Amino acid sequence: DTAVSQTPKYLVTQMGNDKSIKCEQNLGHDTMYWYKQDSKKFLKIMFSYNNKELIINETVPNRFSPKSPDKAHLNLHINSLELGDSAVYFCASSQATGGSYEQYFGPGTRLTVT
Amino acid sequence: GNSVTQMEGPVTLSEEAFLTINCTYTATGYPSLFWYVQYPGEGLQLLLKATKADDKGSNKGFEATYRKETTSFHLEKGSVQVSDSAVYFCALPNQAGTALIFGKGTTLSVSS
């Protein structure tokens, strides 16, 4: 049984479109995250939710809107897609916030904007 | 704020060679330190961690020791295998402990 799952795995779309990526974790964790990995493999936090509450919103354009309907799900909606949004997006979860907790990552969603 | 600097690759080794990937950090206090590994086409997975100074994390033959004197957490393996080919990330929590900060990643390629 997959601990952190994301759908879709690949997403190819045109500039200007709106798309969503879904994430689910079955670990019973309280905290979930979205990270962006660029073409050079650099990973950066975008959002962090704890018990459905937003606790981190890094300098991400407001075209990106996360939504957490419950503790097990964290979805990412992107409006008006741009070429620079092409990247791999990873969802992750951890038992709680706090620096010592391991984060469990999903398999990633490769977004290509043409 | 907290930050991490990791040696950049790629690192290319023959099977059974010794591996070192350097990682140094800047942090307030003594946060936990992590090494994550990303195999091709997959998400990241925890390789090892250390939660306090002088701790040694180890897993799958990999080791790293939390050295506060040199603010380092270098990853080592005595004898690499082809299956170790992956991207390795050093990481630590941000100051608030609400997310991880990752190094730029080091790509390791091991040939037989």
Side-chain angles (χ1 to χ4, degrees):
Chain A
D1 221 11
T2 306
V4 182
S5 58
Q6 293 178 232
T7 53
K9 189 167 174 61
Y10 300 97
L11 189 50
V12 181
T13 189
Q14 292 185 328
M15 283 173 53
N17 285 348
D18 304 338
K19 290 293 178 186
S20 291
I21 306 172
K22 295 188 175 182
C23 177
E24 177 181 2
Q25 54 95 1
N26 63 6
L27 298 166
H29 287 169
D30 284 346
T31 310
M32 295 185 73
Y33 312 83
W34 278 110
Y35 288 89
K36 179 180 179 180
Q37 185 175 49
D38 65 21
S39 59
K40 296 185 178 178
K41 301 285 188 186
F42 182 60
L43 269 160
K44 190 159 190 267
I45 184 71
M46 298 175 69
F47 303 102
S48 173
Y49 270 74
N50 186 55
N51 279 319
K52 302 193 301 174
E53 298 294 322
L54 180 67
I55 57 172
I56 281 188
N57 181 353
E58 288 294 305
T59 50
V60 176
N62 58 15
R63 297 182 295 103
F64 290 79
S65 52
K67 280 193 172 50
S68 182
D70 54 58
K71 278 195 334 180
H73 296 85
L74 180 61
N75 304 323
L76 184 64
H77 188 75
I78 316 170
N79 289 327
S80 303
L81 278 154
E82 300 178 357
L83 292 177
D85 297 333
S86 295
V88 181
Y89 292 84
F90 286 101
C91 178
S93 73
S94 64
Q95 188 176 337
T97 56
S100 63
Y101 292 103
E102 174 184 356
Q103 292 188 15
Y104 293 77
F105 283 76
T109 296
R110 182 174 293 277
L111 171 65
T112 304
V113 183
T114 61
Chain B
N2 295 353
S3 66
V4 59
T5 302
Q6 180 179 347
M7 70 181 268
E8 296 193 29
V11 174
T12 304
L13 295 173
S14 298
E15 211 166 20
E16 299 183 6
F18 184 85
L19 169 71
T20 300
I21 301 177
N22 290 338
C23 172
T24 57
Y25 67 90
T26 302
T28 303
Y30 302 103
S32 295
L33 301 174
F34 302 86
W35 276 100
Y36 280 81
V37 59
Q38 183 179 23
Y39 297 104
E42 297 184 12
L44 280 75
Q45 53 186 276
L46 180 69
L47 181 60
L48 53 85
K49 76 175 192 180
T51 57
K52 61 183 188 297
D54 299 326
D55 259 6
K56 179 187 282 189
S58 60
N59 186 25
K60 299 182 182 179
F62 290 89
E63 292 183 340
T65 301
Y66 191 159
R67 304 242 186 246
K68 71 176 183 183
E69 305 84 6
T70 53
T71 61
S72 64
F73 192 53
H74 304 322
L75 182 68
E76 296 182 335
K77 186 174 186 183
S79 175
V80 294
Q81 305 300 312
V82 171
S83 57
D84 293 328
S85 298
V87 183
Y88 293 81
F89 294 91
C90 187
L92 80 170
N94 62 8
Q95 209 160 331
T98 51
L100 288 176
I101 299 170
F102 288 90
K104 292 187 175 181
T106 302
T107 300
L108 170 66
S109 295
V110 181
S111 57
S112 57

